[in-house]
Amino acid sequence: MTARTKTKAQKKPTPLMTIRHRIQAFAVLATFLLGLRHVLPGKASTGGSFDAFCPFGGIETLLPYLFRGETLKTTNLLNFAILFGVLGVSLVAGRAFCGWLCPLGALQEKLARLARKLSGEKRHIRGKKSAARFPMRLPKRVDKWARYIKYLLLGIILWVSVTAVYPPLHFLCPVRAVFSFQMTGLLWSVLITFVVTSLLVERFWCKYLCPLGAALAIFNKIAPLRLRVDDHKCVDCGRCDVECPMDIADAHANSRDLECIQCLECLETCALKDTVTLEMITIQAPHDA
């Protein structure tokens, strides 16, 4: 074995969170280019509205399509194709779209890191509580009830969509506010609110307002890809709770919680080898007696 071969063999694998952040960066870049495409001159820029590439647009236009046989304005059948892709991921890995592919989720994490640096954190030590003042956590009682708002919003959007002309979230969509480059006074307000709340509370939109996250939450209960915790090895050190961007108590043991975005921060943070593992759970057919 040559020296070069030994070096390659000894090279450490790429950290899981590095892979996740790269995927998130690609999602942000792709969405940015998509928004830019629709403001560039020429015929190529007119190929479908920005909303047509949104998975939640498929949910917004679903009932109108079933009841009236037509999609809402700025949406089309492409929304269904993208939505089915997201649902396919969710069937296997729960809300992994939220933790790995959502551009808004990625930006919220970046803003949370910025808030920590601006409010006193000199160096982030994984698993150790930061001395930074922001982002903060809402009081537990407020947080508990506020998390139901996104489910309420999902219900209202579905109800309004039946008689709507445009997608109900069209004029208030934070994705359009951040990426569409076609701003209105209302979207500027949404953008400012999104940035400020993301600096104050990590993943504020995901925790309390995102109707797509509400629609995908149930998949955490049925997805076969999930975390397993060896209770004999776990010492309840709390490292995973510190790193959980969704502020789930005992995050490592609650990967099936509706709020879990399957970011796997708890897996990466655990200091005890093989205590937290990612496994594909298979359902075995009962044997005949």
Side-chain angles (χ1 to χ4, degrees), residues 38 43 52 107 140 144 147 172 197 199 236 246 273:
H38 287 88
K43 292 184 177 180
L107 288 181
K140 288 185 177 180
K144 177 182 177 181
R147 296 201 187 225
L172 293 168
T197 54
L199 290 170
D236 292 322
M246 295 297 285
K273 186 177 180 181

Side-chain angles (χ1 to χ4, degrees), residues 16 226-237 239-240 250-255 264-279:
L16 186 62
R226 61 187 64 166
L227 292 172
R228 274 191 177 276
V229 181
D230 188 333
D231 294 328
H232 298 291
K233 294 182 180 180
C234 179
V235 295
D236 292 322
C237 63
R239 286 170 57 89
C240 52
D250 297 325
H252 64 292
N254 288 307
S255 63
L264 305 184
E265 283 281 0
C266 48
L267 174 62
E268 187 84 342
T269 301
C270 185
L272 299 176
K273 186 177 180 181
D274 297 330
T275 299
V276 182
T277 55
L278 185 65
E279 299 180 8

Side-chain angles (χ1 to χ4, degrees), residues 9-284:
Q10 295 172 357
K11 186 178 180 180
K12 293 183 179 180
T14 304
L16 186 62
M17 288 305 102
T18 299
I19 297 174
R20 186 172 79 91
H21 294 154
R22 288 174 180 174
I23 293 174
Q24 287 181 310
F26 175 79
V28 170
L29 178 61
T31 310
F32 173 83
L33 293 176
L34 187 62
L36 186 63
R37 169 178 175 264
H38 287 88
V39 296
L40 293 175
K43 292 184 177 180
S45 65
T46 62
S49 69
F50 183 79
D51 291 352
F53 296 87
C54 174
F56 189 68
I59 295 177
E60 291 177 289
T61 201
L62 177 61
L63 295 182
Y65 185 72
L66 292 177
F67 293 158
R68 306 198 303 261
E70 60 185 23
T71 58
L72 299 177
K73 287 187 176 181
T74 73
T75 67
N76 56 47
L77 297 182
L78 178 60
N79 290 99
F80 294 133
I82 296 174
L83 175 61
F84 291 152
V86 173
L87 293 179
V89 172
S90 302
L91 279 169
V92 175
R95 285 181 64 182
F97 173 83
C98 304
W100 290 71
L101 292 168
C102 177
L104 279 187
L107 288 181
Q108 287 176 94
E109 289 187 12
K110 291 292 185 183
L111 288 170
R113 292 191 197 105
L114 176 62
R116 283 193 285 267
K117 289 183 178 180
L118 293 177
S119 62
E121 182 180 81
K122 296 181 179 179
R123 179 172 173 267
H124 179 68
I125 301 176
R126 178 170 286 278
K128 184 176 180 180
K129 190 173 181 180
S130 174
R133 294 180 60 190
F134 298 103
M136 60 183 180
R137 297 185 178 185
L138 297 184
K140 288 185 177 180
R141 181 173 294 183
V142 176
D143 172 80
K144 177 182 177 181
W145 291 106
R147 296 201 187 225
Y148 290 107
I149 295 175
K150 58 180 175 290
Y151 298 101
L152 177 62
L153 287 176
L154 176 62
I156 292 174
I157 288 170
L158 288 173
W159 179 61
V160 172
S161 70
V162 177
T163 57
V165 176
Y166 285 90
L169 203 60
H170 175 78
F171 300 104
L172 293 168
C173 179
V175 180
R176 291 186 66 235
V178 176
F179 295 105
S180 74
F181 298 99
Q182 296 173 325
M183 301 298 289
T184 64
L186 194 55
L187 284 179
W188 275 113
S189 299
V190 172
L191 177 61
I192 294 171
T193 302
F194 173 79
V195 172
V196 172
T197 54
S198 298
L199 290 170
L200 294 177
V201 178
E202 187 169 8
R203 280 189 174 257
F204 183 92
W205 170 257
C206 298
K207 291 175 184 173
Y208 309 119
L209 299 176
C210 181
L212 179 59
L216 299 180
I218 190 60
F219 290 98
N220 278 354
K221 298 296 185 181
I222 61 177
L225 187 64
R226 61 187 64 166
L227 292 172
R228 274 191 177 276
V229 181
D230 188 333
D231 294 328
H232 298 291
K233 294 182 180 180
C234 179
V235 295
D236 292 322
C237 63
R239 286 170 57 89
C240 52
D241 292 357
V242 171
E243 294 298 326
C244 180
M246 295 297 285
D247 296 335
I248 300 173
D250 297 325
H252 64 292
N254 288 307
S255 63
R256 297 184 68 185
D257 189 286
L258 295 179
E259 296 298 309
C260 179
I261 57 173
Q262 307 297 329
C263 65
L264 305 184
E265 283 281 0
C266 48
L267 174 62
E268 187 84 342
T269 301
C270 185
L272 299 176
K273 186 177 180 181
D274 297 330
T275 299
V276 182
T277 55
L278 185 65
E279 299 180 8
M280 181 71 75
I281 308 300
T282 57
I283 301 177
Q284 297 181 350

